[in-house]
Amino acid sequence: MRRERMGRLALAAVALALLAAACGARTEGSAGPRASGALGVVTGADARRIVEGLCRLLGPAGADREEANAAFYDLAHDGLHRLAAAAQPVDPGAAGALLVAKERVEEDLGREELPPTLGRDAEALLAATREALRVVGLPAPDCPA
């Protein structure tokens, strides 16, 4: 009987420790909507950063190869991978469309000179991004003014 009670107390202590760790791990920056997949978490802040990078491709940065690559790879690229992974179990079609659109933009940016299709491909990627964000329940921000 005593051994059984000690076992229950130990189990309760472990459960409380896990609960405390989970609550303690939540930081101010992690508040708000989140989605996760095989590659990690996507937050509302990530969504804003991804969209900002894609919006820059549609603006003046889209005319300069260095600026376009910086906007895409510094702001959007990694987040797009995490977003696609988070969307995959919810809507594989949306995840696939996102990855295909991302690859088109990567091909455009990898060329010697930016092709005239970059703007159209960036618009398609932005639309696919917004759809994937909707699928995972994250806000899809507008382009900054």
Side-chain angles (χ1 to χ4, degrees):
M1 183 81 154
R2 179 179 163 103
R3 188 177 268 191
E4 184 180 312
R5 185 169 185 232
M6 287 185 67
R8 277 191 246 144
L9 285 174
L11 183 60
V14 168
L16 284 172
L18 289 173
L19 180 62
C23 292
R26 188 167 181 86
T27 64
E28 199 172 309
S30 67
R34 305 159 50 112
S36 63
L39 297 179
V41 174
V42 183
T43 65
D46 293 323
R48 286 187 298 277
R49 185 175 169 94
I50 293 166
V51 169
E52 178 186 347
L54 299 179
C55 291
R56 285 187 185 182
L57 283 178
L58 295 171
D64 179 88
R65 189 171 183 272
E66 249 182 70
E67 287 184 40
N69 274 283
F72 180 74
Y73 287 104
D74 293 349
L75 296 174
H77 184 262
D78 290 344
L80 289 168
H81 281 284
R82 289 194 319 276
L83 176 58
Q88 177 64 34
V90 182
D91 186 338
L98 177 62
L99 291 173
V100 167
K102 180 190 68 64
E103 287 175 13
R104 284 190 185 123
V105 169
E106 288 174 339
E107 287 175 20
D108 291 345
L109 294 174
R111 294 186 179 181
E112 225 21 72
E113 291 183 28
L114 294 177
T117 57
L118 177 60
R120 183 186 69 225
D121 292 341
E123 285 177 5
L125 178 54
L126 182 57
T129 298
R130 287 192 169 128
E131 177 60 15
L133 288 168
R134 185 196 65 73
V135 162
V136 300
L138 287 171
D142 292 327
C143 286

